[in-house]
Structures are given as structure tokens and as C-alpha cells.
Amino acid sequence: MDKYFDASYIWNAIPVLLPFLKVTFLVAGSSIVLGTLFGLLLAVAKLSSLKILQRLANLYTTIMRCTPSIVLLFLVYYGVPALAENFGLNLHSIETAFFVVVTFTLQFAAIMSEVIRSAYLAVNKGQFEAAVSVGLTPFQAYRRIIFPQALVIALPNFGNGMIALLQEGALAYTIGLIDIVGKANLIIASNINAHALEIFIALAIVYWVLSIIIEKFFTMLEKFFSKGKRTLETT
Amino acid sequence: MNYQFLLETFFVALSGVPIALLVTIVALLVALPLGFLLALTRINKIPVIHHFAKIYVSFVRGTPIIIQIFIIYSSLPLLLKIIFEKYNIAYDIYKINPIWYAFIVFAFSTTAILIEVFRSALGTIEKGQLEAAHAVGLTTFQAYRRIIIPQALVVAMPNICTATVNLIKATSLGYAMSLPEITLKAKVAANVGYNYVEAYIDIFIVYLILCSTVEYIFKRYEKHLSKFKVANA
């Protein structure tokens, strides 16, 4: 098989690919920050007593869950500039990274709204009442009592969401973002499509290692933050 | 916005649904039994296989599905070529229908997801259930069929639903294997007049209908299954 497969291509490709992780991280990072903020708003809407807000937020989540990332990506890539044109804005020369961030922000927000909602609901209501009854303001009660407990519950799901986002982000190459996958495709093109398999294996290794690191990191965080949890559970 | 194109392409996109569903169903038919068996090897700690299953799951969950497609789609033809040359089978590997590759890729990734689903579902069943079944004279096979699996299935159902919806969504990546499913068909139609916005709106609507229908069916089935649920759970 040596005629077709040459493992040295794998090891040679990894150092070339790694610098482009910066783009991947930048895009994923901004989507995570913006998506979490938007997700928080959605979660507030879902928990609010207004029926319309609840419906809208739930509808949004369902739609996002039913749309493949690649479809959303192209819908944003072609749709947003077309929509902006109606308002006299020219978005055609804007960086592709912008569209990628918009897409994954929309998607991550849907995931996060469910994570935040379920974490909030998992904290016993009595905790808030107890906090208010000892004289804390509602804001203090949320900051000191509810938030730390909800955070521990949300962490594993947050970690899973992050890994999912990182992997869906691999599709950004389809609209021309030169992240790690885009670079891999450039390498393959410059090899005239030879040894594509080795480059893809190198990509898989990079992603695999990254996911394992993120997973380990979140298990660690969870352990760290659940230190105080035991005393609460015994009550 | 070209409304006529929007309407016409909707039916083009719709015509890709059978292939997307076929791939989904075949992948599930392979993955459900295989995932269950491998989950059992992980729970019973069968040597070698259980380590293999662990690495397999970690790989599939740790790498984007598009890269799994790339790897399988570029390695399988090479392997087949070598095998065919060795045994002098005169068959052009480039004439293989891409749907076979799609079956393999999606069965490969869904099996790994279902291993974890079944493992966590079986983990919620108390060991006493199996012991009790043994005590009244059932064989292990009978105990699994009559006692363990019905209970585990109730717990596993929502996750199987998520896995199915994700699988349907993932078939949109079939374009990388030139599989003529929903996305590729509508995109090809759009190539003629650059009506990409309309084409993607159509694709979006088709997936929305498809996935919400599947979710609805699962919800109904979950309700039906929940009669097996233990009262306090």
C-alpha cells in the first residue's frame, strides 16, 4: 500500500496546520461568547411568564435544532447580504469569518438557552426563597446562591456544546474560511489531490486531541466547582 | 427574490428526501443492534472489545463528521482497489454508487453515538432487576428481552430521537460524496441562475418539515412506551 499511503505526510502536515487553529479558535471563541449572551436572553424569555416570549423562544430553538449547520451557514452567507441590500448596506466585501460567527452564534444560542434553562430549573426554588428571607436582595440571591449552583449543573452540558460547536465549525471551509480545515484543503490542492487521506488523518488527530483536552478540562472544572456542593446536598 | 424559482426548487429539494431517509434508516438499522451489543461489551467489560469500543466512541465524538466522511471516502476506494486487484475482480470501483459510502459513513458514526446512549440507559437499570429475573428462573437472554430492554428503551428514547435528528441533519453532508440528497439537488438547481438564497430557503424548509415530523413521531412513541415506566422514576 506504500504507493498510495505515506504516513510521513501526516507528521509533516500537522505543524503546517496548527498555526491555523488560531482562526478556528477565534471564530469558535467569539461564537461561544456571543452565543452564550444570546442564549441567556432566550433562556430568560423561556422562563418568563409572558406566553408570547415563551413561544417565540421555543420556536427559535426548534428551528435551530432542525437545521443542518451547513444549510444555516449558506443561508447566512447568501441571505444576510441580500437582506442588507434592501436596507442599502453593502456586505459583499465583508470577511467570511463574520458570517461564520453569525451562523454559529445563532446555533450555539439555541443550545445554550436549553442548557441555562435546565440548569436554572434544577436549582431548588426554596434556595431563592431562603436567600431572600435572610435579607438578601433578589439580585444578591441570584449572584450568590442560584448562579453558583446552576453553574455546576450547566458545566458538563456547556462542555458538550463547546465540543459540538468546534466540530460543526469544521464546515466553515465550505464558504471559504481558511481555518484548519480550509488550510488542509489548500495543502491537498497544492499536492494535486495526491495523499489527501494522510492530510485528513492529520486533521482528525488535531480535532481528536482538542476534544479530549476540552473534555478533560471541563471534568476538572466540574470537580473544582462541586467542592461546596456536597454540604448543600446533605440538607 | 425569485418566487417562481423558490416554488419550483422546493419540489426539487423535496425529491431528495427519499435518499436522505433511506440513508438514515439503513444507518439506524445497522447502528441500533451493533450499538447495543457494543454497549453490552462495555458494561460487562469484555476484554479487548471493550477497549476497542471506548477508543471508537472517543474518536467519533472527537472528530467532525465531515472529516470522518473525508477519511472514509478517500480510504475505502483505495482499499477496495487493492482487494479487487489481488483477487482479479474486474469491477470499476469508481462506478460504485456513492450511497454505499454514505451507508458506511453514517452507520459508522451513529453506532458510536448509540453505544453511549445505550450504555447510559442500561446504567439506569438497577442490578437487582437482572438478579430478580434470574431468581424467578429466566435466562439472561429472557431477562434482557422481557425486563431490562423495555425499561432501558424508555430512558434511551429521547436520546435516540436526538441521534436520529442529528443523523438526518448530517446527511446534508452527503454532498462531499456526491450523494444526490436534499442539499445537493437544490444546490445544483441553483447553480444555473445563481439563485442560492432561494435554494437554501427551500432546503431549510424541507429539513424543518422532515425533522419536526420525526420529532413528533418519536414523541408519540415515547408516550406509548412510557407505560413500561416504573411509577417512581
Side-chain angles (χ1 to χ4, degrees):
Chain A
M1 199 163 166
D2 46 47
K3 206 164 106 196
Y4 305 107
F5 189 84
D6 186 354
S8 67
Y9 275 86
I10 301 177
W11 312 122
N12 292 338
I14 289 180
V16 184
L17 290 174
L18 281 179
F20 287 85
L21 264 183
K22 218 167 47 190
V23 182
T24 306
F25 281 153
L26 199 71
V27 169
S30 0
S31 307
I32 286 167
V33 173
L34 294 171
T36 309
L37 290 176
F38 186 31
L40 192 67
L41 283 179
L42 281 172
V44 171
K46 279 179 186 174
L47 293 165
S48 80
S49 49
L50 270 177
K51 270 267 147 62
I52 311 167
L53 278 183
Q54 276 180 30
R55 289 254 170 82
L56 277 177
N58 283 327
L59 184 72
Y60 176 82
T61 315
T62 312
I63 291 176
M64 281 300 145
R65 236 197 353 230
C66 287
T67 317
S69 319
I70 188 156
V71 176
L72 191 66
L73 198 59
F74 276 99
L75 210 54
V76 169
Y77 184 60
Y78 291 119
V80 169
L83 209 66
E85 227 164 53
N86 290 344
F87 299 101
L89 285 166
N90 187 4
L91 289 183
H92 288 287
S93 54
I94 212 162
E95 287 233 17
T96 33
F98 168 77
F99 298 107
V100 181
V101 171
V102 170
T103 307
F104 291 110
T105 300
L106 291 174
Q107 206 175 44
F108 196 64
I111 302 174
M112 278 318 288
S113 72
E114 278 301 294
V115 172
I116 294 169
R117 191 185 67 99
S118 62
Y120 174 79
L121 289 178
V123 178
N124 198 325
K125 236 193 162 150
Q127 298 276 339
F128 179 75
E129 284 159 11
V132 174
S133 79
V134 294
L136 271 76
T137 65
F139 177 74
Q140 280 175 324
Y142 274 113
R143 201 176 80 79
R144 300 246 171 209
I145 312 291
I146 309 286
F147 178 71
Q149 294 183 64
L151 185 71
V152 183
I153 299 167
L155 266 180
N157 288 333
F158 186 71
N160 283 340
M162 238 172 99
I163 293 176
L165 178 80
L166 188 74
Q167 297 188 2
E168 299 290 312
L171 292 171
Y173 86 95
T174 51
I175 62 168
L177 184 77
I178 307 296
D179 65 343
I180 174 166
V181 187
K183 181 64 189 171
N185 278 317
L186 286 182
I187 296 176
I188 291 163
S190 68
N191 286 348
I192 328 169
N193 286 337
H195 300 286
L197 178 60
E198 291 89 330
I199 311 289
F200 291 141
I201 291 176
L203 258 187
I205 292 171
V206 173
Y207 270 103
W208 196 0
V209 171
L210 265 180
S211 301
I212 290 173
I213 292 173
I214 294 177
E215 221 179 314
K216 286 260 146 58
F217 176 70
F218 271 90
T219 329
M220 241 172 58
L221 270 187
E222 215 187 314
K223 253 192 204 141
F224 177 75
F225 279 116
S226 38
K227 258 183 195 159
K229 207 179 165 195
R230 192 164 292 152
T231 50
L232 284 167
E233 269 182 344
T234 48
T235 55
Chain B
M1 190 74 93
N2 186 341
Y3 289 103
Q4 202 198 335
F5 181 85
L6 188 73
L7 193 69
E8 278 167 12
T9 313
F10 178 73
F11 294 102
V12 175
L14 212 57
S15 71
V17 171
I19 291 210
L21 279 182
L22 181 69
V23 171
T24 307
I25 289 167
V26 171
L28 277 180
L29 283 181
V30 176
L32 281 169
L34 207 61
F36 185 74
L37 286 178
L38 285 171
L40 284 183
T41 68
R42 285 213 60 188
I43 286 175
N44 297 321
K45 296 237 155 50
I46 312 256
V48 189
I49 307 179
H50 117 88
H51 290 292
F52 160 77
K54 202 171 160 189
I55 294 170
Y56 169 43
V57 170
S58 159
F59 174 77
V60 171
R61 289 185 7 151
T63 52
I65 190 153
I66 184 80
I67 290 171
Q68 293 165 28
I69 291 175
F70 284 156
I71 288 179
I72 292 179
Y73 193 54
S74 53
S75 68
L76 261 187
L78 284 184
L79 282 173
L80 283 178
K81 199 173 178 184
I82 291 163
I83 294 168
F84 282 3
E85 272 172 8
K86 203 169 180 186
Y87 294 102
N88 286 324
I89 303 169
Y91 188 81
D92 189 2
I93 44 157
Y94 296 106
K95 278 190 184 146
I96 295 176
N97 193 327
I99 204 163
W100 291 101
Y101 293 117
F103 289 158
I104 294 169
V105 168
F106 292 117
F108 173 80
S109 73
T110 312
T111 304
I113 306 296
L114 289 183
I115 291 176
E116 281 302 281
V117 170
F118 285 128
R119 197 172 71 101
S120 67
L122 288 169
T124 62
I125 310 295
E126 270 182 61
K127 220 178 175 175
Q129 299 271 347
L130 184 65
E131 284 161 5
H134 280 155
V136 294
L138 288 151
T139 64
T140 305
F141 179 75
Q142 281 174 324
Y144 265 99
R145 202 175 85 78
R146 302 251 171 206
I147 314 287
I148 312 277
I149 293 178
Q151 292 183 71
L153 212 54
V154 182
V155 183
M157 230 31 185
N159 288 332
I160 295 177
C161 175
T162 311
T164 311
V165 170
N166 284 340
L167 180 58
I168 293 176
K169 281 163 40 179
T171 58
S172 65
L173 299 177
Y175 79 89
M177 301 177 278
S178 48
L179 179 73
E181 41 66 63
I182 305 165
T183 314
L184 191 68
K185 277 195 161 179
K187 220 160 77 178
V188 168
N191 280 342
V192 185
Y194 295 100
N195 298 313
Y196 291 112
V197 181
E198 290 91 340
Y200 276 99
I201 290 175
D202 283 329
I203 301 169
F204 169 72
I205 296 170
V206 170
Y207 277 109
L208 203 58
I209 297 170
L210 195 60
C211 291
S212 31
T213 314
V214 169
E215 264 185 14
Y216 178 74
I217 294 171
F218 268 96
K219 281 252 165 67
R220 288 290 295 272
Y221 191 56
E222 253 168 64
K223 250 190 200 148
H224 165 77
L225 271 183
S226 59
K227 66 181 176 196
F228 296 118
K229 209 169 185 174
V230 240
N232 61 358

